[in-house]
Structures are given as C-alpha cells and as structure tokens.
Amino acid sequence: MATPTATLRSATLDRILHDYAAVAARLPDAAVPRAQRANALAALSKLGWPRASDEQWRYTNLRAFEAVATFGPAAFEAAATAPAPADAGAIELPPPLPGFERLVYLDGMRHSASAPAGHGSGSAATAIAGEDWPPEQRLGLLCDMFASDSAVLRIRGSAAIELLFLTSAAAAGAGCYPRLQLALDADSELKLVERHLGAPAAPTLVCANLRVDVGRNARLTHYRLQQCGEQVVFADTLAAQLAEQASYSVRQVAIGAGSARTSAQVRLAGRGAALSWQAIAVGRGQQVHDTALKVEHLAADTRTEEVFRGIADERARVAFSGHIHIGASAPGSDARQSLRGLIEGAGAEIDLRPRLEISTDEVKAQHGATTGALDENLMFYLLARGIDRNTARALLKWAFLGDVLRAIDLPQVRRAAEHGAAGQLPDVMAIGALT
Amino acid sequence: MNSARDGVAPAPLLQVRDLRVKVAGQEVLRGVSLSVGAGEVHAIMGPNGSGKSTLAHVLAGRPGYEIVSGSASFEGHDLFALAPEQRARAGLFLGFQYPVEIPGVNNAYLLKAAVNAARRERGLAELDAFEFLALVRTKIKLMQIDESFLSRGVNEGFSGGEKKRNEILQMLVLEPKLALLDETDSGLDIDALKVVANGVNTLRAAERAIVLVTHYQRMLDYVVPDFVHVLARGRIARSGDRTLALELEKRGYDWISEQVAA
C-alpha cells in the first residue's frame, strides 16, 4: 500500500487508508479491478485529503466527512464475509416512469433483478477508460477504491433509463459508492434519470462516480435529482466527454443531504459538441451545497450553456464554481454562463465563482453572476396587486428557480423536482404555487 | 379644487394635501394638492421629470420615497399609514408604466391570488377556480388577449403593448375603486391604444375614479377626462377641463414650466 507523504497526511486520510485496508481483500474485482483500486489509493495518497485552504474545496463541508463512522462500503461492513443485500422495501420508491427501464442500486449494490435489455450488461467489471481524476475531482478516487458494484451501460439506438441509487437504514454510519460507466454509441439517444434517495439515521457517505462518453451525434439528457436525507454526506464526481456533434443536457436538482459536493468535468472534444448544464441547489438549516463544474472546449464550434440558481435559507451555504476554458483548438465556440444566488437567511451564504478562460479568437462568450436578495421591483409589483408580503416572497423565490425547473422536460421528473424544491421552501409549499 | 359636475360635492375618494416628496435627497413633489371624487376621471399631464410618476407611485406605496410633509387620504383613511398591499386591497390600483416580468409565476395564479386577497379584505367569499375562470374569460375577450396567456409567466416575453393590455386586464378583474394609470398609453400603437382605452372606459362608473398619468393628450381622445391637471416642477401648475389638454397639445409644456419658474 502506498504511504502518503508526511505533509499530506490528515486524520481523515488516515482513516480512509485504515478502513480500506480492512475491506480491500473482500472488495470484488468484478466491480473495480484490483489494480485500479490500488491506483486510486496511490493517487489519493499522493494528492492528500482536500483542505479548505484549497480554492477548489473552499466551500465544501470537509468536516462532514469526519462524522462518518467508517468509509468501508455498507454491505461489506454489515457482513464479515459476503455482502448482504439490504431491504429496499423500507424506502418508498418513486412511481415508475412510463417508458423507462428502472435499475435500482441499494447501498451501492445492484438490487433489481432486471437489466435493461440491449444496453450492455447492467453490472460488470470493466476498466473505466480515461485519465485519473484531477485534484479537484479527487473524491472520485474514494469511489474507485471502495465501490462494491458498478453499473455499465452502453447505448445503441434510443433508450430511456432510470437509475435509482438508494441508501438504506442499514447503511447508516458507512459508505455507499454508486458507480456508473455510460457510453452512447454514435447517433444514439438516451434519457437518463439519476436519483439519489434514502435517509439513514447516522452520518453516511454516499460517494458516486459517473463516467460518461457521448459518441458522435449522440444525444444524452441527464436528469439528476439528489434528495438524500440530512444525515447523508454526498459527493458525486462526474467526467463526461463529447464527440463530434454530440449533445449533453444536464438538469441537476440538489436539495438533499446535509452536505453535498458535485465535482464535474465535461470535455467538448468533438467539433460542434454542445453542453447544456442547468442546475438548482436549495439549502436550508445548515446544509452545504457545493458544485464545481469545469467545461473544456477542445474543438471548434463547441457550445456551452450553463445556468445555476441557488437559494440559501437559514444558515445554509450554497456555492457554485463554473470554470469554462475555451482552448486554442476551439475557435467558433459559444459559451454562456448565468449564475444567480438568492440569500434568504441572515446566516446564509452564497458563493458564485464564474470563470471564463479563453485561449483563442472568434468566440462568443458571456457570463453573469449575481447574488442578493429578492428584486424589490418585482416585490412591489406583487404587493401593488394586493398580494401579502409572505406570499409575494414565496412566489418570487419560486420564480427564481423557474428557469431551471421549466427546463426539465419530463413532466414526472419535473414534478418530483418541484415538490422536492418546494419542500425546502416551506413558504412556497404553503401558498400552493405548485399545481 | 374640483367638484362634481352636478354641483353636489361628495366626499372625495382621494384627497392629497400639500404633498412634498424627496427622492434620493431631491425634492420631486413640492406641494401637490389634488382631490378626486367618485365617478371622476382625472388626467395628470406634464413634461418629463415633472413628478407625475412619482405621485402615482408614492400613492401606491412604492418604497424609496421620502414623504417630507403633506397627507393623502383614501376614502377618509390615511393612505400613508397603509402598506402597499393594504392600499391595493382597499381598492387602489396602480397600472405600471413598465410592468415587470415574473417568469415562473403564471398570470392566472397572480390574478386569482390578487382577486381573492381583495375579496377577503371586503369580507367576500373567495372565488373558486371555476368562478375565477368565468370572471377572467369575459375580461380577456374585452382586452383581445389570447386565453393561453393565463398559463404563461407574468408578462414573460410580452411585447410592450401586451404588457399594457395585461395591466388593464388586471385592473378590470380587480375592479378597483381608484385606478392610477401611469403612462399606460406610452409605447402603444393606435390599435393597441384603442383596446386599452376601451378597457379603461369599461371601468368608468359612478363609484370609481380613474387618474391617468400621461405625457401626451392622444389617450384623452379615447378616455375623455373630467379634469386635467398640469404638473410642472413638482407642483400642479394649472387645472382645467379637457380643453387644457388640447391647449397643451398645441403649445407644449414650456409656457407652463416658465410660469412655475417665474
């Protein structure tokens, strides 16, 4: 086992190494090959555990990880020898989506018996292609080390898949490592719904990895709903690569977990590739939502549309870092970024960090980031119509999220997202703005 | 200042006395007095920067204005003691010159919430969805607005003319006692102006009053006022009947501004 250098040692990393040593021999090669786990361990040891002094991790609630009793995967912690599947019945599953094939993972392990037909194997060992996770995505290494299962999907033609990642009560205090490797063949199309649910009673790590490869002229719409319970420490790491004329639309709703960090990197590698990333995060209480998205324009005529709306209520902290790099090989690129934050609580905090880095001419790029309170002009308009102040505030908060929620074009998913978001905003729920 | 045309002076709906208002430390209204009775239509005209919009917004309760002195009463109640939403529910309506867009809040929701807030204030039962729809359908037709707009965000993506029509639609649905229309005619082509004017005229009634704030007299060809006031340099410089508006059309505002300055 690699040993971290003295300067990078931390109590959390020591615990990770200790917990890994305890389960390593029993972790299945079928999920992640042993060599890859070892590489991940070595890489994390070299990079060290993130520190708040590092700009990329400044707004992540790193302390929350300390509260997790063990980083070992829940199923392996519960059984000394073989993993025992927990009971999914204790978690209320959302109604099935018409036309979607459903895959259920419980505490990081495949639960449902059916595999989506014709989309490759639902759970298999495949060396995940691509380079190592960069420093700002190093939590991905944790999942590579500890994952006890892996969903591998290859899409040809057209498909609609719902992935439910559930965290059971039995996982409390341990780690769950959802893992997805997804490849879309050329000219294929996929609607993918990814939901994270479950509310264990003690601090529990849910640490997900997603590797996405969108082939030439393929279209992926990816709906991401994170609705975990408040005891969950959530971290997801996503790496996506788009080939020529490929399109990738992400609709992300982060409302659950006590602490959540999304580390995403999208590479627009083929000419004309397009990313649309629209996300909301709503925090209340002492929740922390932190997203770091890096988009690399590597080919000509590539496009990015990035929209983020965050609300921080009470003492919550919501952060979004949007870094778009347009490389020298990407003339004709078009990048638009709109980041907006709404501070609702006296102790709340919003941190928006737009960053456009352009290394070529002939590009269109615009970005805007604003943080503040509700617009007084809008407020007065509603008051002048006799709407009471509390209702007006609730309506405007709802409207603030409207851009992104309306962009969710699957009605059932949009409703789930709306109800989830409204659940974070009791005043919105109270006025019955949802229909 | 004004009296009803039949010579019997009813209690004014709106009574403004010697109102002085500052905006960002600058005195914009410098002693405005105005009395508006039920059944009357008043036009307040004046050059840009004369304080017309300020007057309308102060009466509606917009924050950011400092009331230095003077008073305003609405049906005998101190207007400035009421929050903006209370003024609206009491029956005061402000039609905005620049209606805001509120994507995510649909027109039907806003209208229904506004109607029911006013009804609660008056001790009336709230309208249910069917009653509301029946009410709003008749008004929509009058304003020549497509019904699909009800499910759209408030003023979202509307043209300037559509926004103004929407303002008048809201007014018709809410049936206020006093409507303050702030340059509702600005930016309208002649067809839209006629539709808007028709909507305003529909609201004319013995128990209601309308105050039109306007720069030009063309709106007054369609909504004929009982009284015309000219606001210049923060004061009402002259009052008269509709012929005053025609005179302004011919002579402009300079002569009045010069009189005030003198």
Side-chain angles (χ1 to χ4, degrees), chain A residues 410-421:
Chain A
L410 287 178
Q412 300 91 334
V413 176
R414 185 172 65 239
R415 265 199 298 279
E418 287 178 345
H419 279 85

Side-chain angles (χ1 to χ4, degrees), chain B:
Chain B
M1 180 188 294
N2 309 304
S3 58
R5 283 161 294 176
D6 61 5
V8 179
L13 204 54
L14 175 71
Q15 183 82 56
V16 180
R17 288 200 174 94
D18 198 23
L19 183 61
R20 290 174 177 270
V21 172
K22 283 184 177 176
V23 180
Q26 187 92 18
E27 197 167 46
V28 177
L29 297 183
R30 301 189 299 161
V32 171
S33 295
L34 179 68
S35 181
V36 178
E40 296 174 353
V41 173
H42 291 237
I44 296 181
M45 304 181 71
N48 290 332
S50 59
K52 305 186 299 290
S53 291
T54 297
L55 177 61
H57 283 260
V58 163
L59 294 175
R62 185 179 203 110
Y65 296 98
E66 181 192 348
I67 296 165
V68 179
S69 63
S71 65
S73 65
F74 181 60
E75 293 191 303
H77 302 291
D78 179 5
L79 200 54
F80 297 147
L82 300 176
E85 63 272 29
Q86 292 172 314
R87 300 180 201 193
R89 283 183 231 144
L92 189 152
F93 179 91
L94 172 65
F96 285 72
Q97 182 181 3
Y98 302 110
V100 296
E101 295 191 19
I102 316 180
V105 175
N106 74 41
N107 282 294
Y109 185 94
L110 171 63
L111 271 174
K112 187 160 177 274
V115 166
N116 282 333
R119 290 181 67 88
R120 279 196 301 275
E121 187 78 12
R122 294 169 199 168
L124 301 171
E126 293 188 18
L127 298 184
D128 64 25
F130 296 107
E131 292 165 330
F132 168 73
L133 208 55
L135 168 70
V136 84
R137 272 189 175 137
T138 59
K139 314 292 185 184
I140 274 186
K141 198 173 284 183
L142 186 70
M143 293 311 296
Q144 299 181 18
I145 293 174
D146 192 284
E147 206 171 297
S148 66
F149 114 108
L150 284 172
S151 58
R152 289 169 61 186
V154 173
N155 293 319
E156 184 183 5
F158 287 19
S159 68
E162 286 173 327
K163 286 179 182 173
K164 297 296 177 69
R165 284 190 209 190
N166 193 19
E167 291 292 287
I168 301 305
L169 172 69
Q170 291 177 12
M171 180 184 79
L172 293 178
V173 171
L174 291 170
E175 298 183 330
K177 293 173 186 165
L178 172 64
L180 303 168
L181 303 180
D182 184 14
E183 306 215 19
T184 297
D185 54 334
S186 67
L188 296 181
D189 62 28
I190 192 66
D191 292 331
L193 182 67
K194 284 179 182 171
V195 172
V196 164
N198 185 39
V200 174
N201 283 327
T202 305
L203 197 77
R204 291 183 83 151
E207 68 276 18
R208 278 190 254 284
I210 296 167
V211 176
L212 298 168
V213 172
T214 183
H215 188 82
Y216 303 103
Q217 80 86 37
R218 64 174 192 157
M219 175 82 159
L220 308 184
D221 287 341
Y222 302 99
V223 183
V224 179
D226 302 304
F227 304 98
V228 174
H229 313 280
V230 184
L231 202 57
R233 298 177 188 269
R235 293 194 184 100
I236 290 186
R238 185 167 288 223
S239 295
D241 60 18
R242 66 169 304 210
T243 58
L244 176 56
L246 297 172
E247 188 178 1
L248 290 168
E249 181 78 358
K250 281 186 194 155
R251 299 178 64 188
Y253 288 111
D254 285 351
W255 61 282
I256 286 186
S257 298
E258 285 160 11
Q259 283 181 1
V260 173

Side-chain angles (χ1 to χ4, degrees), chain A residues 112-257:
Chain A
S112 61
S114 64
H119 305 308
S121 55
S123 180
T126 307
I128 288 185
E131 56 200 59
D132 287 338
W133 298 109
E136 65 271 24
Q137 292 192 294
R138 75 187 76 169
L139 294 185
L141 297 167
L142 265 187
C143 185
D144 284 349
M145 287 166 61
F146 286 104
S148 44
D149 205 344
S150 186
V152 180
L153 299 172
R154 184 170 178 184
I155 305 301
R156 303 176 186 90
S158 177
I161 296 174
E162 182 190 27
L163 272 173
L164 292 183
F165 292 116
L166 310 178
T167 304
S168 74
C176 299
Y177 297 93
R179 201 157 183 274
L180 169 68
Q181 183 179 354
L182 172 64
L184 274 73
D185 280 2
D187 302 313
S188 64
E189 181 168 5
L190 174 66
K191 285 185 184 296
L192 175 69
V193 176
E194 173 200 354
R195 296 187 71 175
H196 296 268
L197 299 163
T204 304
L205 176 65
V206 175
C207 185
N209 270 12
L210 293 91
R211 295 256 191 199
V212 176
D213 193 350
V214 189
R216 184 178 47 78
N217 203 37
R219 297 165 57 85
L220 171 60
T221 310
H222 189 176
Y223 310 87
R224 315 189 72 202
L225 273 64
Q226 188 273 101
Q227 297 172 280
C228 298
E230 62 183 10
Q231 291 286 352
V232 167
V233 180
F234 186 87
D236 68 292
T237 306
L238 182 150
Q241 174 144 310
L242 278 65
E244 189 180 351
Q245 300 299 333
S247 84
Y248 184 26
S249 298
V250 177
R251 305 291 178 255
Q252 175 159 305
V253 176
I255 47 186

Side-chain angles (χ1 to χ4, degrees), chain A residues 270-286:
Chain A
R271 187 185 191 101
L275 169 70
S276 167
W277 186 290
Q278 301 203 20
I280 63 168
V282 184
R284 61 189 295 226
Q286 292 187 297

Side-chain angles (χ1 to χ4, degrees), chain A residues 292-364:
Chain A
L293 169 62
K294 183 175 184 185
V295 182
E296 299 242 40
H297 287 247
L298 301 170
D301 304 326
T302 43
R303 285 172 287 136
T304 295
E305 178 202 34
E306 196 174 298
V307 178
F308 175 77
R309 301 288 180 263
I311 298 181
D313 205 345
E314 297 170 339
R315 298 179 61 198
R317 198 164 76 209
V318 172
F320 187 95
S321 166
H323 179 189
I324 298 177
H325 176 234
I326 300 178
S329 56
S333 289
D334 186 344
R336 285 169 291 159
Q337 191 180 47
S338 164
L339 315 180
R340 289 175 60 196
L342 182 60
I343 297 176
E344 271 295 282
E349 185 179 334
I350 298 263
D351 299 285
L352 304 178
R353 285 166 294 159
R355 186 177 163 201
L356 271 172
E357 193 182 349
I358 300 171
S359 308
T360 185
D361 296 329
E362 298 175 33
V363 298
K364 287 184 196 164

